[in-house]
Amino acid sequence: MAKAFKYGLKGITGYLEPAERELLRSLIDDVISMLEPAESASEDPLTALIGLDMNVQEPSDRALRRLLPNVTKNDDAASLEFRQLTERSLRENKIGALRAAALGLDTNDVVLSPADARLWSQALNDVRLVLAERLDIRDDADADHVHTMQDWSQAEDVESYLALVYNFTTWLQESLVQAMLQSMESRG
Amino acid sequence: MTLSVALGPDTQESTQTGTVTSTDALTAPDIPWNLVIWNDPVNLMSYVSYVFQSYFGYSEPKANKLMMEVHKKGRSIVAHGSKEQVEQHAVAMHGFGLWATVEKAAGGGKDGGSGKGKGKRG
């Protein structure tokens, strides 16, 4: 079993079993493949260079829309314009955090610097956002329902398996964030 | 903390795109904008508080107060500034996985859907 992250002399440390690392790696890979932008053949190299993407649209997939949300509540045109300017670098930023977290999954003992820990917490958060969409978690009642699934012997179908995976990543992120908050406190 | 910390390797490009945004903003610079964070059932309360503390440099009590406001009221205005400033914050929040939007601080009628009455200062 994994051990909760904690903050100590060596920084933020945790422990994950090989099967847990494998699971996290595959979840991370899934989110990376969702975020990798489709190649567009007729792309202007200059606009690509400065991060513009004039062909971008609001994602149709709910999970992707949650990872890359509109920047205004009620103004679709303004949101789309902002997306053209920023979505590419946001995707790259998220992929960078996910890749950094995956790199840290090579050994059972996980030791994180403050910068690593931030990338890990971002990556785990994105993984959880995607799992939550797949599990149809829309409100706190849904979240509470999913949270009751704690025992791996309850894994009967895809949904219960996903719920258990979601609860594992939630537990892992919570322990990591608690360690990060302690680390911030002790550094003043 | 600064935006560069939140954006990681692509800071340079991101800063530039932020500047591009400003060129078509026909809003007078003194009209304040709000950064709004919306509640969702997934983000951990501890994580939201961590983001407010580490990114905005807010004290723990202030970060927790804003986080509880998001949780209980469904949304909270966590920062003010020029349009470009709050847009930079919004993209950083999206980087952290928080659900952030920008809105004009008060009244202001130009934007399409601002007549909903939710855009008032909190």
Side-chain angles (χ1 to χ4, degrees), chain A residues 6-162:
Chain A
K6 59 183 186 208
Y7 173 66
L9 290 175
K10 283 197 285 185
I12 293 171
T13 55
Y15 174 86
L16 294 163
E17 303 233 324
E20 292 162 337
R21 293 191 278 120
E22 207 42 55
L23 170 67
L24 287 171
R25 201 190 302 276
S26 70
L27 292 169
I28 287 172
D29 285 346
D30 283 350
V31 180
I32 289 175
S33 61
M34 285 172 64
L35 283 167
E36 273 171 343
E39 298 287 332
S40 69
S42 60
E43 189 163 77
D44 178 344
L46 180 63
T47 57
L49 188 69
I50 60 173
L52 291 176
D53 187 351
M54 303 319 280
N55 300 320
V56 73
Q57 293 294 327
E58 185 179 336
S60 53
D61 178 67
R62 285 192 74 108
L64 201 51
R65 210 155 60 217
R66 182 59 190 82
L67 293 177
L68 310 166
N70 279 343
V71 78
T72 69
K73 194 78 173 166
N74 303 309
D75 188 340
D76 290 346
S79 288
L80 184 61
E81 189 186 4
F82 190 73
R83 208 173 265 288
Q84 290 166 343
L85 298 170
T86 60
E87 188 184 290
R88 182 186 292 256
S89 57
L90 179 59
R91 282 175 186 259
E92 286 167 0
N93 170 31
K94 283 179 177 290
I95 290 170
L98 289 155
R99 290 218 172 105
L103 279 178
L105 285 170
D106 286 341
T107 54
N108 289 0
D109 289 304
V110 181
V111 182
L112 302 175
S113 69
D116 293 336
R118 185 174 53 76
L119 295 170
W120 266 65
S121 69
Q122 285 175 272
L124 285 172
N125 206 69
D126 281 349
V127 164
R128 290 181 58 247
L129 287 170
V130 171
L131 287 170
E133 285 300 335
R134 303 293 182 239
L135 282 162
D136 234 8
I137 298 177
R138 298 273 171 264
D139 54 30
D140 290 342
D142 295 338
D144 288 346
H145 174 69
V146 166
H147 195 67
T148 58
M149 296 286 293
Q150 292 290 348
D151 188 340
W152 286 93
S153 66
Q154 292 172 278
E156 292 162 346
D157 49 25
V158 173
E159 202 193 337
S160 54
Y161 176 76
L162 273 184

